[in-house]
Amino acid sequence: MSVAVSDSAPQKPWLPRWLTSEHPFPWLLPASALMIVFGIFPLFYAIWLTLERKHPVTRKLQFAPTYNWSKLFADDRVWNALFNTLVYTGVALVFQLVLGMLIALLLDSDRKGYGVLRAMMTLPLVIPPAVTGMMFLLMLNGSFGVLSRGLIALGIFPTGYSMLGQSSTAMAGVLLAEIWQWTPFMVLIMLAGLRSLPKEPFEAAAIDGATPVQAFFKLTLPMMSKVIAIAVLIRGIDLFRAFDYVKVMTDSGPGTATETLTSYSGRIYFGNADFPYASTIAMVTLVLVIVISTLFMRIFKVKL
């Protein structure tokens, strides 16, 4: 007696299993390829460049593992750029954090119109940093700048004073642009944190007679500590590699008054075409960011 063979028997897929939708590899492949091409490969290439030396006469690369590193530690401009970077990062962080918290406390309300104000806080964030730098460059012009004329009218600066043209005030001028554009970022993060706080502890504190100031320091800040730490970490990493405002507004000047590690690296790379030395400075910047971020996360127990 013969048995009929069913035509509905499962057929083997013509593709290997790791290329089918049941396997995660096809979904990870595009993102992984982009990361390798635009992230991992440039990183390893930059590391390799730090071991090369550009010959001053032939302009050809020669293998010299210690040349750029010994040159870097003996370069006074690197130490000046590091100092400027730390000052720039620290001052901007303090102002953005304090102003961000104060504005967030003012906007933490459900009254009519406050939603529009909160939405307007995102407007500076959509402007390209280079455009913001050009805007403040014009406003701080000693001849016709709006901000400069206001400061001169208040007697803070003498007539015709250029804030960006003096080494003593150029960094402050660049920081004005940085703080204006990125304080709203802090405001939005602080607002999200304030909105997520439970109301019961504040109601109990009000019944016990606590003032708003006491409630802020005893309840709000402790409960917001993780949110504040993450906001500081994100902004600190971004500030440490500041380039746009410095390049557009002062081009690291006057002299080297506003020169940061990234702007110095960019000047060597594009101005002198010394790719190995520029890559060495960039690697130092990367290592410093990783070390400082890791220490910060360990100290404040931040988990991403």
Side-chain angles (χ1 to χ4, degrees):
M1 182 177 178
S2 61
V3 179
V5 179
S6 175
D7 295 336
S8 61
Q11 298 179 354
K12 292 184 178 181
W14 63 276
L15 287 174
R17 182 180 178 277
W18 58 275
L19 280 179
T20 62
S21 59
E22 299 176 357
H23 200 277
F25 182 79
W27 306 102
L28 296 175
L29 181 59
S32 301
L34 289 175
M35 183 178 295
I36 292 172
V37 173
F38 296 105
I40 298 177
F41 173 74
L43 174 62
F44 281 99
Y45 182 64
I47 294 174
W48 171 255
L49 280 177
T50 63
L51 306 177
E52 297 279 341
R53 177 198 177 196
K54 194 165 189 177
H55 196 278
V57 179
T58 63
R59 310 299 287 174
K60 293 182 179 180
L61 295 180
Q62 298 175 336
F63 186 70
T66 61
Y67 176 79
N68 291 307
W69 295 100
S70 59
K71 180 180 177 181
L72 181 140
F73 288 109
D75 190 350
D76 292 336
R77 288 184 65 173
V78 170
W79 299 105
N80 176 72
L82 176 59
F83 175 77
N84 289 339
T85 302
L86 294 175
V87 170
Y88 186 94
T89 302
V91 173
L93 261 181
V94 170
F95 274 91
Q96 289 175 12
L97 179 60
V98 174
L99 291 175
M101 178 62 78
L102 291 176
I103 297 173
L105 290 171
L106 293 174
L107 296 179
D108 185 23
S109 174
D110 294 323
R111 285 181 287 181
K112 187 177 180 179
Y114 276 71
V116 177
L117 293 176
R118 287 193 291 268
M120 290 176 63
M121 294 302 299
T122 62
L123 294 179
L125 299 176
V126 302
I127 304 174
V131 175
T132 301
M134 183 60 67
M135 181 175 66
F136 273 84
L137 175 64
L138 296 174
M139 290 194 296
L140 292 173
N141 185 279
S143 301
F144 55 81
V146 176
L147 288 179
S148 287
R149 287 196 172 189
L151 294 171
I152 291 170
L154 293 173
I156 298 176
F157 294 143
T159 304
Y161 186 88
S162 177
M163 190 174 184
L164 297 175
Q166 305 296 324
S167 59
S168 58
T169 55
M171 181 66 79
V174 177
L175 283 167
L176 278 177
E178 174 75 51
I179 293 168
W180 177 85
Q181 180 155 35
W182 290 103
T183 295
F185 176 81
M186 284 291 197
V187 173
L188 295 177
I189 294 182
M190 296 302 120
L191 265 173
L194 290 172
R195 290 277 169 161
S196 66
L197 296 180
K199 296 183 179 180
E200 291 78 8
F202 296 93
E203 294 173 352
I207 294 174
D208 292 339
T211 64
V213 176
Q214 291 174 329
F216 175 76
F217 285 103
K218 297 293 185 180
L219 294 175
T220 304
L221 279 184
M223 288 191 290
M224 286 274 293
S225 59
K226 298 299 182 184
V227 175
I228 294 173
I230 292 175
V232 169
L233 178 64
I234 295 172
R235 284 301 303 139
I237 293 174
D238 192 50
L239 285 165
F240 205 87
R241 56 184 184 86
F243 177 80
D244 308 74
Y245 305 103
V246 174
K247 180 63 178 177
V248 173
M249 297 178 69
T250 63
D251 197 18
S252 302
T256 59
T258 58
E259 189 170 67
T260 61
L261 286 172
T262 49
S263 66
Y264 184 36
S265 176
R267 173 171 292 192
I268 294 173
Y269 191 95
F270 296 106
N272 302 341
D274 190 352
F275 310 132
Y277 189 46
S279 299
T280 306
I281 299 174
M283 284 299 104
V284 169
T285 306
L286 176 63
V287 170
L288 287 174
V289 168
I290 293 174
V291 170
I292 295 174
S293 300
T294 303
L295 290 175
F296 181 87
M297 292 173 66
R298 287 184 177 274
I299 293 172
F300 293 94
K301 299 179 181 178
V302 177
K303 295 182 179 179
L304 299 178

